[in-house]
Each structure stands twice: as structure tokens, then as C-alpha cells.
């Protein structure tokens, strides 16, 4: 795809809202991927059963913009994709078979109006410094569907994690925008699809571990979920101690053991689609 990015339209220091200060590696959201992002791709792979929802919603779009693309999860490989990612650490983790990402931010996309058939943003809108601006930009550069894969902040307490790390869930609930805010930013009419999380989900966002609690005891698994970087380190230590104890003495299994074999978990994951 021959896309011309207006590089002069990129975000420059002082040309954007004060909140949009970028970290040293270029990270433009509330999380610093120069610090937390290095092992991201080892824990956050695209989950095929979630990818199916995205593929379906993309319809017959041939040219796609992926905003906040990170290491490229959920980017279709059978279509022409342009990726935008402000963090150098995340851009560096893109596998060789995906196109290199452009250094830009959602709030100021360096593309002409209606350039893409479709656009997508997965697990990123909660980090943007100006959600409304980013969504308006996605709508502006897209002819067809705009897809946002995110979590509904009102459904986050469904998972047992809330019993062990309520501080982390509270952080998430504050960061994830309400579905109504996303709808508003995208111009009003949207479809909101609940996306069931499969057991063994290879994309390690927090709820992906609903039936595999041992996995989230790994510090790297928590690091790949930015919410943990917003709570005191003592919360992670307490969480790991409490969960390890309850796994060892069987308390976790008495309470939640059924989840170990439950094929899907209806958590907070949502795909918002503006046609
Ligand atoms: C949790 S990662 C998700 C990456 C990828 N979309 C995925 O599904 O694995 C969030 C990404 O959003 C990016 N991001 C944060 N603020 C952004 C902004 N204002 N504009 C574009 N991307 C942003 C971060 O740099 C990071 O790579």
C-alpha cells in the first residue's frame, strides 16, 4: 500500500496538549513502555479466537490502519496494513513479517481524510491522553468500519482478580473509557460485541488468566499489563503472597476451581464497531 504519511504533522513537543508529554522511548500514553514494554510480546500474543471477531468486523476492507499497534497483535496479514505506534520499545518488538510502524499518535494521525477502508485499535484507547481527539482522528481517516477492542470498566469486577488485587482493578476501572464515551467519540452509532475469553488465551491481559492463576504469579505477566505499573510495588508483592498461599492450601480452588476447565469466560472484553 502506497501510503504517504505527513511526517510534518507528527506530534511535536509543545504542539499538543500538556498531558501528551512523551516518555523517553516515545511512549505517548499514560504508561511508559520504555520501562514496562520490553517483554511485552512474550506475554501478549494475538489470540486467534479473539482475532476472529476482528477479522469478521473488518469485513472486506483491504486497507487497514492499526493505531497503538504495539508489537502488531491482531493485525491482519492478508490485507494491507499501516501501523502507528509511538513507543520505540514496542515498535522494536514487531515481528519481521509485519510492516514497521510509523512513529505517530492517535490524537494526530498523519494521514489524509478517508484514506483507509477500515481502522482498528486494540488494548490502547485507555492509554491515550485525549481519547475524543484520537477517536475523531480514526473516524476522519477511515471510510468504513472503525474497531476498538477494549474492556468495559463496569464489568471488570467479574473476575476473581478483584478479590486479590482490588487496587489494580480500580486503576483499570478509572483508565478504561465507558462504552458511551467511545460511542460518542466515534460519532454515535456503534455495535458493542461481548468477546468471550478462551481458556488458555495467549494474549495475556489480566482476565486471560481466569483459569490459570499460576501464570499471573510470574512478574513478567503482570508487567505486560500496564495497570500494575500504577500501583505501589507492595500491592504486587501482597497479591503474589496471598495467591500463592491460597493456591498451595487449596482455598483458590475451592472458590474458583471450576474456572480451570471453563472453556470461556465472559469478562469485560468488548469489540466496539462503528460502521
Ligand atoms: C497494551 S499496548 C497494546 C498494543 C497492541 N495494540 C496490542 O493489542 O497488543 C498499548 C499500546 O498503545 C500505545 N499508545 C499509548 N498511547 C498512545 C497514543 N496516544 N497514540 C497511539 N498509541 C498509543 C502504547 O505505546 C502501546 O504500544
Amino acid at each position: 500500500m502506497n501510503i504517504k504519511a505527513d511526517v510534518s504533522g507528527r506530534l511535536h513537543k509543545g504542539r499538543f496538549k500538556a498531558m501528551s508529554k512523551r516518555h523517553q522511548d516515545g511512549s505517548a500514553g499514560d504508561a511508559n513502555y520504555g520501562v514496562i514494554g520490553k517483554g511485552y510480546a512474550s506475554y501478549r500474543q494475538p489470540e486467534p479466537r479473539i482475532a476472529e471477531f476482528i477479522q469478521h468486523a473488518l469485513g472486506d476492507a483491504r486497507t487497514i490502519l492499526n493505531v497503538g499497534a504495539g508489537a502488531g497483535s491482531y493485525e491482519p496479514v492478508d490485507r494491507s496494513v499501516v501501523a502507528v505506534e509511538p513507543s520505540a520499545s514496542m515498535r522494536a518488538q514487531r515481528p519481521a513479517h509485519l510492516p514497521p510502524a510509523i512513529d505517530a499518535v492517535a490524537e494526530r494521525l498523519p494521514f489524509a481524510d478517508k484514506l483507509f477502508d477500515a481502522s482498528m485499535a486494540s488494548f490502547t484507547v485507555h492509554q491515550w491522553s485525549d481519547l475524543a481527539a484520537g477517536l475523531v482522528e480514526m473516524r476522519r481517516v477511515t471510510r468504513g468500519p472503525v474497531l476498538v477492542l477494549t474492556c468495559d470498566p463496569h464489568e471488570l469486577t467479574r473476575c476473581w482478580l478483584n478479590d486479590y488485587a482490588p487496587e489494580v482493578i480500580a486503576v483499570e476501572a478509572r483508565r478504561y473509557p465507558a462504552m458511551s464515551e467511545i460511542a460518542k467519540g466515534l460519532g454515535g452509532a456503534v455495535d458493542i460485541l461481548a468477546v468471550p475469553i478462551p481458556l488458555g488465551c495467549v494474549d495475556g491481559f489480566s482476565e486471560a488468566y481466569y483459569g490459570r492463576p499460576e501464570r499471573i504469579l510470574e512478574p513478567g505477566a503482570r508487567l505486560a499489563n500496564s495497570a500494575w505499573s500504577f500501583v505501589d510495588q507492595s500491592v504486587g508483592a501482597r497479591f503474589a503472597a496471598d495467591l500463592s498461599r491460597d493456591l498451595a492450601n487449596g482455598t483458590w480452588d475451592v472458590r474458583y476451581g471450576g474456572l480451570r476447565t471453563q472453556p470461556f469466560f465472559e469478562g469485560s472484553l468488548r469489540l466496539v464497531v462503528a460502521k
Side-chain angles (χ1 to χ4, degrees):
M1 184 184 192
N2 187 16
I3 293 292
K4 284 203 175 70
D6 171 12
V7 195
S8 66
R10 281 190 200 163
L11 184 66
H12 293 294
K13 271 188 191 151
R15 286 185 63 195
F16 203 61
K17 285 185 158 190
M19 271 177 72
S20 66
K21 190 166 56 111
R22 292 177 69 166
H23 296 275
Q24 208 175 6
D25 86 319
S27 286
D30 61 355
N32 184 355
Y33 280 90
V35 174
I36 67 167
K38 296 211 168 68
Y40 185 90
S42 355
Y43 286 92
R44 303 290 303 265
Q45 290 295 312
E47 165 54 49
R49 285 159 292 182
I50 296 175
E52 277 173 23
F53 278 78
I54 293 176
Q55 285 282 354
H56 185 258
L58 287 173
D60 58 6
R62 299 304 314 159
T63 58
I64 292 152
L65 172 68
N66 186 16
V67 179
S73 283
Y74 305 111
E75 263 171 40
V77 287
D78 57 344
R79 311 165 194 229
S80 177
V81 175
V82 170
V84 156
E85 169 54 50
S87 156
S89 319
M90 295 299 273
R91 288 197 302 275
Q93 293 182 58
R94 294 177 63 78
H97 69 276
L98 295 180
I102 293 170
D103 176 10
V105 292
E107 293 88 343
R108 195 180 183 94
L109 293 172
F111 307 111
D113 293 358
K114 299 193 187 312
L115 188 59
F116 301 95
D117 291 338
S119 59
M120 55 184 276
S122 60
F123 294 109
T124 178
V125 293
H126 59 295
Q127 304 188 358
W128 298 354
S129 59
D130 188 338
L131 173 75
L135 294 174
V136 166
E137 278 289 84
M138 286 183 76
R139 187 66 281 173
R140 177 183 68 75
V141 303
T142 312
R143 290 187 287 275
V146 179
L147 280 56
V148 175
L149 183 69
T150 184
C151 295
D152 183 337
H154 301 301
E155 303 294 343
L156 286 162
T157 53
R158 295 171 73 95
C159 187
W160 56 264
L161 281 165
N162 192 49
D163 298 338
Y164 285 86
E167 300 91 337
V168 175
I169 300 301
V171 164
E172 293 291 59
R174 279 197 299 276
R175 292 171 80 215
Y176 278 111
M179 297 294 107
S180 56
E181 262 187 84
I182 297 175
K184 195 170 147 206
L186 291 174
V190 294
D191 291 335
I192 301 174
L193 310 173
V195 181
I197 301 158
L199 188 64
C201 179
V202 294
D203 190 353
F205 54 94
S206 300
E207 288 175 344
Y209 301 111
Y210 73 89
R212 296 167 299 157
E214 289 80 5
R215 287 299 310 277
I216 203 170
L217 286 174
E218 292 169 30
R222 297 200 294 279
L223 207 57
N225 284 277
S226 58
W228 291 90
S229 69
F230 295 99
V231 295
D232 193 85
Q233 280 189 352
S234 62
V235 174
R238 191 208 63 220
F239 168 82
D242 289 353
L243 182 56
S244 302
R245 180 201 61 220
D246 286 359
L247 287 168
N249 68 21
T251 304
W252 188 92
D253 281 88
V254 169
R255 286 192 196 145
Y256 313 108
L259 292 172
R260 287 191 185 277
T261 52
Q262 186 175 302
F264 289 94
F265 179 68
E266 301 275 348
S268 64
L269 192 59
R270 299 288 181 271
L271 181 62
V272 183
V273 184
K275 297 265 168 60

